[in-house]
Amino acid sequence: MNPLEGFLYGLGLSLSPEILIAALAAGLAGTLIGVLPGLGPVAGASLLLPITFAYEPSIGIILIMGVYMGAQYGGSTTSILLGIPGEASAIPATFDGYPMAKRGRAGAALVIVAIGAFVASTLALLAVTVSAPVVSQFATKFTSVEFFALTAGGLFLLARISGAQVGAGIGASLFPMFVGLGLAMVGTDPTQGEFRYTFGQIDLSLGFDLASVAVGLYGVSELLMMLEERVSKNVVQPVKVRELAPSKTELRQAAFPWLRGSALGFFMGLLPIPSATMSAFTAYRIEQGMSKTPEKFGKGAVPGLAGPEAANASAAVGSMVPVLMLGLPFSATLAIAIAALIVQGIQPGPLLVTQQPELFWTVIASLFIVNIVLFILNVPLVSIWVRVLRTPRHILIPVIIVFAMIGSFSVNNNMLDVYVMLAMGIVGYIFRKLGFGLAALLVGLVIGPLIEKYFLQSMLVSHGDLTYLVSSPVAAIIWIAVLGSIVWTAISGFRKRRKRATDEMPVVIGKMSEEE
Amino acid sequence: MSVPRPESSGGEDETFTIDVPRWRAGAGAVGFLLFVGYLLEAMRLDPGSLSDPGPGLFPIVIGTGGIVSTGFVVVEALRASRATATLPKGRRAKDVIFLLIGLFAAVLLLPILGMYIVGPVYTAATAWGLAPRHRWRGAIIGAAVVLGVCFVFTEVLQVRLPTPIW
């Protein structure tokens, strides 16, 4: 089946009432989650995860991805209307989107974001449609060596890049990663079925549930952080329906940034990095660098809004390629998407296209539908999102926490998951305060069992020869990148310390002269 | 990457700062002890051999890696330049503690009283405690919303919620 045939096949399967309703519900839920403070796509997707168990796998994936894509829209909406980003990837939208809104161009800014996200997602989905079968064929040649390198090396790079507060050092990136891997070992071992770290508790034999950990780590901790602050005095910028249309000049200024952002975001989505956030920032810098009027950036420059938002949307779709083709999530939300598949007995990977084409192509086609739904509905519903933003947080916070308790309990109908949610909420709060990263912990929890599986397979095949782990070119390249990351950290740390010592020297010399 | 917080107005008297590197070193020390315990527990499992791995092999690798990472955390924290984070005090701290205590109580009572009782009561109590004014209105609205949410989950989405012991 060639990509066009596959897409049309998937589209035919997607035009069923259940899938259309799922796409609509997920898009709206995702936008609401992106607009609301305190949830975010990770916690929101994990709350939906138990609901996906009752439906077929394609609907489960559509729900999770719809929330992810919708949350990008929602996060940008608060960036533009309130100057407060709903997500990290929506931070660049505050630089120029909020100034546009203050100038009375909020409607135009929202439409530029909506069109850009639609164009970018569509182009990225076309790229996925064309590239996924090629990647799949390439990846069927991978053995446990390559998969071990991709999982373990990819996790390490993710921890280093997205891990910790800037300047916190390599330990602050790796510590949460090892915590996640350690939690992943709780349960039943894959070799002999022995219980590990269950301490006699039968409930722990299934391990820690991802949804509870994600909701606690991201959702509950974010609510605690939010409660610390005073109520924001930022005024929600009004949006008049008649001012929704961007001018011809604004559309012309946005066109090429949309295209550049789409290309950049898709390629960054293929990498083991927090692609949505990094592509948005990178696109902003590129647009500023390429602009003939860079001084206008930060004051309502249309390219400064259009490029990053397109990159953001495109990266979200591009990151589906490693998820579906290799079974590797390089972000916390995609880790939940993987969990939604695995629970249904589906192992994402290179054989997904050939062994379950109906699932694969239905997901791709449905993402197109989600994209269209988001584009059509989001801008007209802006007034609803504005009302949601005005919900007092003393009502919002406990309601979200009840959602979190329901979501955590309903995974296994077990109170243990609710206790885990609470504990991880406190851990997440402490980690945030101390500058430790959360994404590596969550991704470590999800792909820890995969890393172990590929490691054990490699050891069985090679009769215990550790050099087997670097015996393939792909694996060697990945481990060289990992080594390079460690060396770079050491060099940049050494340079910073030398610079600090050099900056302090004139003071010391001056003091010595005075003493003499 | 953390989302930047909006600036707090008049916030200096509502927060106090902590020396992040020092606290991070403390967290590293706690993590070190936890990973030592993790490693000891892993050693009780059969590690097998590299050519025939047992259930304990990979946890030993994780435990060792965890100990090394906590070593890095402590050393880097002790050598780091000063960085601060804020913790709430006064009214803000009371709100956070109030929320946490309420959450603990809700989680403890959930298996006894069920979600249909604990959910609205917890929401009403929290909304009442956190609201700056119109407390009763917030409490009633919050409780009503949660009752609606519980209904939607059980009757529409067919999701099971914690039930009372009777």
Side-chain angles (χ1 to χ4, degrees):
Chain A
M1 195 185 289
N2 66 43
L4 180 61
E5 284 168 358
F7 176 72
L8 291 172
Y9 173 55
L11 197 59
L13 292 173
S14 304
L15 294 174
S16 69
E18 296 88 4
I19 288 185
L20 290 173
I21 292 171
L24 176 65
L28 292 177
T31 310
L32 183 63
I33 284 165
V35 164
L36 283 176
L39 267 186
V42 180
S46 53
L47 283 174
L48 278 185
L49 185 59
I51 298 170
T52 68
F53 303 157
Y55 301 99
E56 52 188 73
S58 52
I59 291 183
I61 285 291
I62 288 156
L63 285 173
I64 303 292
M65 285 309 297
V67 163
Y68 187 26
M69 290 165 75
Q72 310 301 321
Y73 268 94
S76 305
T77 302
T78 59
S79 291
I80 291 166
L81 296 182
L82 207 56
I84 298 172
E87 303 303 320
S89 57
I91 293 171
T94 60
F95 301 158
D96 285 283
Y98 188 55
M100 275 184 78
K102 286 203 287 191
R103 273 199 339 242
R105 301 299 295 152
L110 289 169
V111 170
I112 285 170
V113 164
I115 296 175
F118 176 73
V119 166
S121 300
T122 304
L123 291 174
L125 279 166
L126 283 172
V128 169
T129 305
V130 169
S131 64
V134 174
V135 171
S136 161
Q137 274 196 328
F138 182 63
T140 46
K141 300 187 176 74
F142 284 179
T143 63
S144 58
V145 172
E146 286 85 4
F147 279 113
F148 176 72
L150 281 167
T151 49
L155 179 61
F156 181 89
L157 289 171
L158 176 74
R160 285 300 299 129
I161 293 167
S162 74
Q165 203 174 52
V166 173
I170 193 171
S173 313
L174 297 185
F175 174 57
M177 183 186 88
F178 278 107
V179 170
L181 289 170
L183 292 175
M185 296 297 108
V186 174
T188 312
D189 111 87
T191 56
Q192 293 166 18
E194 212 171 299
F195 292 147
R196 295 190 296 203
Y197 301 102
T198 57
F199 306 109
Q201 295 292 319
I202 201 73
D203 290 336
L204 283 175
S205 62
L206 295 174
F208 288 112
D209 181 71
L210 172 67
S212 321
V213 172
V215 168
L217 208 59
Y218 280 87
V220 173
S221 68
E222 177 69 26
L223 292 171
L224 290 172
M225 301 283 286
M226 198 168 84
L227 206 53
E228 284 183 16
E229 297 154 8
R230 290 182 70 105
V231 176
S232 169
K233 292 203 162 112
N234 286 28
V235 172
V236 179
Q237 296 302 319
V239 178
K240 297 194 180 100
V241 172
R242 61 175 179 273
E243 288 171 1
L244 282 177
S247 65
K248 281 188 191 157
T249 309
E250 286 168 337
L251 285 173
R252 210 171 36 244
Q253 287 172 342
F256 279 109
W258 283 333
L259 295 175
R260 282 192 288 267
S262 303
L264 174 76
F266 179 76
F267 284 109
M268 289 187 84
L270 303 176
L271 304 174
I273 55 174
S275 50
T277 306
M278 289 186 70
S279 63
F281 277 95
T282 308
Y284 189 83
R285 277 191 225 111
I286 287 173
E287 293 306 322
Q288 195 172 31
M290 290 183 70
S291 172
K292 290 176 186 150
T293 52
E295 68 282 355
K296 287 188 180 168
F297 277 67
K299 294 173 190 159
V302 167
L305 178 66
E309 290 307 299
N312 184 2
S314 180
V317 175
S319 52
M320 287 297 287
V321 174
V323 166
L324 291 175
M325 294 295 97
L326 301 173
L328 301 178
F330 290 138
S331 77
T333 314
L334 294 168
I336 294 168
I338 291 259
L341 283 175
I342 291 174
V343 157
Q344 299 264 6
I346 293 169
Q347 183 61 48
L351 298 177
L352 190 69
V353 180
T354 47
Q355 287 183 347
Q356 295 188 295
E358 68 288 346
L359 171 68
F360 177 77
W361 291 114
T362 304
V363 167
I364 298 296
S366 303
L367 290 177
F368 266 108
I369 296 171
V370 170
N371 200 20
I372 293 169
V373 162
L374 286 170
F375 177 59
I376 292 171
L377 286 183
N378 267 297
V379 174
L381 293 180
V382 156
S383 56
I384 295 180
W385 308 136
V386 167
R387 278 210 197 105
V388 166
L389 277 171
R390 291 199 175 115
T391 307
R393 65 180 187 184
H394 58 268
I395 298 173
L396 198 60
I397 289 175
V399 170
I400 293 174
I401 287 186
V402 168
F403 259 109
M405 287 198 277
I406 292 173
S408 301
F409 177 82
S410 58
V411 178
N412 294 311
N413 294 327
N414 193 333
M415 278 302 300
L416 174 70
D417 295 315
V418 183
Y419 304 142
V420 166
M421 178 208 78
L422 179 55
M424 293 313 294
I426 295 169
V427 166
Y429 179 77
I430 294 171
F431 270 31
R432 282 174 192 250
K433 285 292 177 186
L434 299 183
F436 292 118
L438 301 182
L441 194 159
L442 203 64
V443 179
L445 177 65
V446 173
I447 68 174
L450 292 176
I451 296 175
E452 182 180 19
K453 175 178 122 175
Y454 296 129
F455 176 73
L456 297 179
Q457 280 176 357
S458 301
M459 291 298 99
L460 284 169
V461 164
S462 66
H463 304 292
D465 179 13
L466 283 171
T467 60
Y468 182 68
L469 293 173
V470 292
S471 59
S472 92
V474 170
I477 289 168
I478 292 170
W479 290 120
I480 287 170
V482 167
L483 208 61
S485 157
I486 296 172
V487 168
W488 175 253
T489 305
I491 291 173
S492 57
F494 174 70
R495 272 192 191 153
K496 273 188 199 135
R497 278 193 297 278
R498 230 176 68 169
K499 186 177 184 305
R500 216 182 304 146
T502 316
D503 289 346
E504 285 167 7
M505 266 179 67
V507 175
V508 171
I509 290 171
K511 280 195 171 160
M512 282 171 64
S513 305
E514 283 171 14
E515 284 165 2
E516 282 171 22
Chain B
M1 186 180 289
S2 59
V3 176
R5 326 298 310 174
E7 288 180 13
S8 303
S9 51
E12 281 189 8
D13 53 349
E14 295 182 328
T15 61
F16 63 94
T17 53
I18 56 169
D19 179 12
V20 168
R22 193 195 298 182
W23 281 79
R24 202 183 288 143
V30 169
F32 175 82
L33 293 172
L34 289 171
F35 271 113
V36 165
Y38 189 94
L39 185 60
L40 290 172
E41 181 67 21
M43 284 173 170
R44 291 174 56 186
L45 300 164
D46 171 24
S49 63
L50 276 178
S51 57
D52 185 20
L57 181 65
F58 203 66
I60 287 173
V61 171
I62 301 300
T64 308
I67 287 171
V68 169
S69 72
T70 54
F72 273 108
V73 168
V74 172
V75 168
E76 284 165 348
L78 293 174
R79 299 177 71 174
S81 49
R82 185 169 164 77
T84 57
T86 56
L87 285 179
K89 71 177 185 188
R91 173 72 207 260
R92 298 295 130 210
K94 279 186 197 148
D95 286 347
V96 173
I97 293 167
F98 181 81
L99 185 78
L100 277 173
I101 291 175
L103 191 47
F104 270 105
V107 166
L108 287 172
L109 290 171
L110 204 48
I112 302 169
L113 300 177
M115 182 57 85
Y116 266 102
I117 295 174
V118 169
V121 168
Y122 166 74
T123 308
T126 308
W128 190 89
L130 296 180
R133 55 185 176 276
H134 304 307
R135 291 180 173 216
W136 285 109
R137 193 168 79 176
I140 291 167
I141 292 172
V145 168
V146 163
L147 270 173
V149 164
C150 291
F151 178 82
V152 166
F153 269 94
T154 48
E155 303 305 321
V156 177
L157 296 171
Q158 302 289 311
V159 172
R160 215 182 121 203
L161 299 185
T163 49
I165 52 176
W166 53 86

